[in-house]
Amino acid sequence: MITPLLGSSFIGYSRSTGTEPCGTAVQPGTGSVLEPVYHSATPDEVERAMALAAAAFPIFSNRSAADRAGFLRAIALEIEGVIDDVVERGMLETALAEPRLRGEMGRTTGQLRMFANLIEEGSWVDARIDRADPDRKPIPKVDLRSMLRPLGPVAVFCASNFPLAFSVAGGDSASALAAGCPVVVIAHASHPGVAEIIASAVIRAAKLTDMPEGVFSVLYGGGRKVGQAVVKHPVIQAVGFTGSRSGGTALMATAASRPQPIPVYAEMSSVNPIVVLPGALDRGEDEFATAFFGSLTLGVGQFCTNPGLVFLPAGKGDGFLAKLKSLVEAGAPGTMLNAAIAKSFVDSTAAIASVPGVKTLARCSTEAGQDQAAPAVFVVSIEDFLKNPLLQHEMFGPATLVVRGTLEEIESAVLGLEGQLTASLHATEAELAAHSGLVFALQNRAGRVIFNGFPTGVEVCNSMVHGGPFPATSDGRSSSVGTMSIFRFCRPVSWQSFPDAALPAELQEANPLDIRRME
Ligand code: NAP
């Protein structure tokens, strides 16, 4: 390991001297404690991180897009320099396998470079120009020009299930930095060592590219204590979060109760419904069950896009269910990210199984070991499903609930679902055309609608929407993946009657950055 682990927060360019322990990493599956002990940032240090972020904001947000792009690319390079450290520590802290961690590393550095390219190209600022017309009657028209500007310092909560791509230098941090916002990260207790290695890389990149101190801080001490203090702090102007519904809604409440309420972009729970029409079953029920099982059990089901709810037409799909049963029974338990998540899987599947009308179709024949989850499938009629809102709750892990009803009942049930990150339809093109009401219902409830595919596997690109109505996210107008995610950390500003030289380059008459503008 080339990165020494000190167990302390990053307060701008210095390290915390707090001595209050806040935990150690624990290896899932064995319960072994991993050195070092981590220590909470002190209240004074939180205050200092805030003051540094506030001081960095005007400097950082006014640095050229090329400078900020250089910073993002430097972070990617510094992370690549410690990839073996990250993988070694990540496997111990998260039980994720090496290929998954290396893949997630590629996604993380890819996101940083994607945002570097986006801001360097420049058109994302949505520049709009309405030129003055002094001769307009009855009143002259003033010169008005607008573009997006960064909100200010952003708090980012690391996600347990994406220790890289949604943690210290993940999508929330990358999009906020790209927008011009300093970032204060709250490390997740589940992978503190990975957080420290990545934080060291980001700080090296900030120094190498001459960024102002305070552009980036990483705080240990937990979300409930340090994270709450950060979200309450007047310097913070927005929050990025991926995790539980209870955590996300607690942060929404904190943010809303501030003297100045701020936006919280929380990605929380989603069961990602899949609607199967008869034509899809006619193509081969075994093949469909095998593909579904692959999506259900990918990464021990620990993806926010895991397919946790399936609507099956009544009287159809017995072959699909029989094959799914055999796959689940023959499947293997997998070690989860931490003991709490494994316990939560056991509790949530037990809660679903105990609802009147729910039958257990299949459970894995191999018993789950320490911190493991074993695949499970439950079945319920649509009448019983509609009676109990608990059946819409996420079972975070490799478990799903199959609901059987008529197509009319399914369409109406989909319209009544909670907000989702994704909704998938398996059908023929003729069925697609014949069920426009169902397609509307799916699109109305989800951020991404999928035809004949599975929700796991989230492409990082311009047109990805990883969002959706509550409780999938706290604000369904946004995406937390892809270039669209930058818009969460900006607001539009108009300049009225400013002299050309005093305008941001993006709005100047000669368009010196040569960006796309509405004029
Ligand atoms: P979590 O409990 O929501 O924790 C995520 C982060 O939020 C942690 O840093 C935590 O800090 C903080 N937090 C939690 N409650 C808070 C509160 N009231 N105020 C301030 N900060 C708070 O999520 P998790 O630990 O990653 O996993 C727990 C469960 O969340 C899982 O079993 C799963 O059901 C769900 N989950 C869902 C997704 C998804 O994408 N759908 C992803 C991850 C997890 P502390 O350490 O202080 O608690």
Side-chain angles (χ1 to χ4, degrees), residues 468-494:
F470 182 88
T473 73
S474 51
D475 189 338
R477 293 167 298 181
S478 62
S479 173
S480 62
V481 173
T483 52
M484 230 182 265
S485 60
I486 197 171
F487 299 125
R488 297 174 301 167
F489 303 123
C490 302
R491 65 185 177 87
V493 177
S494 278

Side-chain angles (χ1 to χ4, degrees), residues 157 160-161 187-188 222-224 228 241-244 247 250-251 267-269 304 341 344 394 396:
F157 285 72
S160 58
N161 61 336
H188 198 291
R224 284 158 228 259
Q228 282 282 354
F241 170 91
T242 300
S244 65
L251 293 172
E267 195 229 292
M268 298 170 285
S269 66
C304 38
I341 287 181
S344 160
E394 185 180 49
F396 191 68

Side-chain angles (χ1 to χ4, degrees), residues 26 28-29 160 188-190 224 302 336-348 370-372 396:
V26 175
S160 58
H188 198 291
S190 197
R224 284 158 228 259
Q302 299 170 112
M336 298 197 91
L337 291 154
N338 61 49
I341 287 181
K343 179 176 183 313
S344 160
F345 178 74
V346 171
D347 293 348
S348 58
Q370 183 175 353
D371 303 335
Q372 286 194 327
F396 191 68

Side-chain angles (χ1 to χ4, degrees), residues 52 80 125 147 153 162 219 234 264 290 345 357-358 379 455 517:
L52 285 169
E80 280 162 355
V125 298
M147 64 179 273
F162 277 97
L219 306 179
V264 173
T290 303
F345 178 74
V358 173
V379 182
R517 313 196 289 194

Side-chain angles (χ1 to χ4, degrees), residues 85-364:
D85 281 8
V86 171
V87 170
E88 182 188 328
R89 181 78 185 187
M91 287 169 69
L92 291 172
E93 288 188 339
T94 65
L96 295 175
E98 178 168 352
R100 156 72 195 270
L101 286 166
R102 288 196 186 272
E104 199 180 318
M105 175 70 85
R107 175 171 167 176
T108 307
T109 52
Q111 286 175 163
L112 288 157
R113 293 189 172 106
M114 174 188 76
F115 281 111
N117 294 342
L118 179 80
I119 60 175
E120 220 164 41
E121 192 280 330
S123 303
W124 74 275
V125 298
D126 190 22
R128 293 159 184 246
I129 295 179
D130 287 287
R131 295 189 173 82
D133 180 0
D135 299 328
R136 192 182 70 173
K137 301 286 184 264
I139 47 166
K141 183 182 172 198
V142 294
D143 189 276
L144 268 171
R145 296 166 188 241
S146 71
M147 64 179 273
L148 296 175
R149 294 295 293 148
L151 286 179
V154 170
V156 169
F157 285 72
C158 293
S160 58
N161 61 336
F162 277 97
L164 303 170
F166 275 90
S167 286
V168 173
D172 288 341
S173 296
S175 53
L177 291 172
C181 301
V183 167
V184 178
V185 173
I186 290 84
H188 198 291
S190 197
H191 49 79
V194 168
E196 189 174 352
I197 299 166
I198 301 283
S200 303
V202 177
I203 295 297
R204 280 196 301 278
K207 289 178 179 169
L208 276 170
T209 53
D210 197 26
M211 290 296 140
E213 181 175 14
V215 71
F216 204 76
S217 290
V218 178
L219 306 179
Y220 290 96
R224 284 158 228 259
K225 196 169 135 202
V226 170
Q228 282 282 354
V230 168
V231 173
K232 281 179 192 152
H233 200 284
V235 159
I236 293 298
Q237 294 301 303
V239 179
F241 170 91
T242 300
S244 65
R245 188 193 296 208
S246 60
T249 50
L251 293 172
M252 288 165 69
T254 301
S257 64
R258 293 169 31 132
Q260 178 220 357
I262 53 169
V264 173
Y265 295 102
E267 195 229 292
M268 298 170 285
S269 66
S270 179
V271 291
N272 305 297
I274 294 198
V275 176
V276 190
L277 297 191
L281 295 166
D282 293 342
R283 288 193 293 247
E285 299 191 37
D286 280 11
E287 293 78 358
F288 181 62
T290 303
F292 174 78
F293 180 74
S295 178
L296 178 69
T297 53
L298 190 71
V300 201
Q302 299 170 112
F303 289 114
C304 38
T305 51
N306 191 57
L309 186 62
V310 181
F311 288 100
L312 205 55
K316 302 265 179 194
D318 287 345
F320 162 71
L321 290 177
K323 179 69 179 175
L324 187 58
K325 182 173 190 301
S326 70
L327 289 166
V328 165
E329 285 170 353
T335 305
M336 298 197 91
L337 291 154
N338 61 49
I341 287 181
K343 179 176 183 313
S344 160
F345 178 74
V346 171
D347 293 348
S348 58
T349 48
I352 297 286
S354 69
V355 170
V358 173
K359 293 188 180 58
T360 302
L361 176 77
R363 282 188 186 272
C364 178

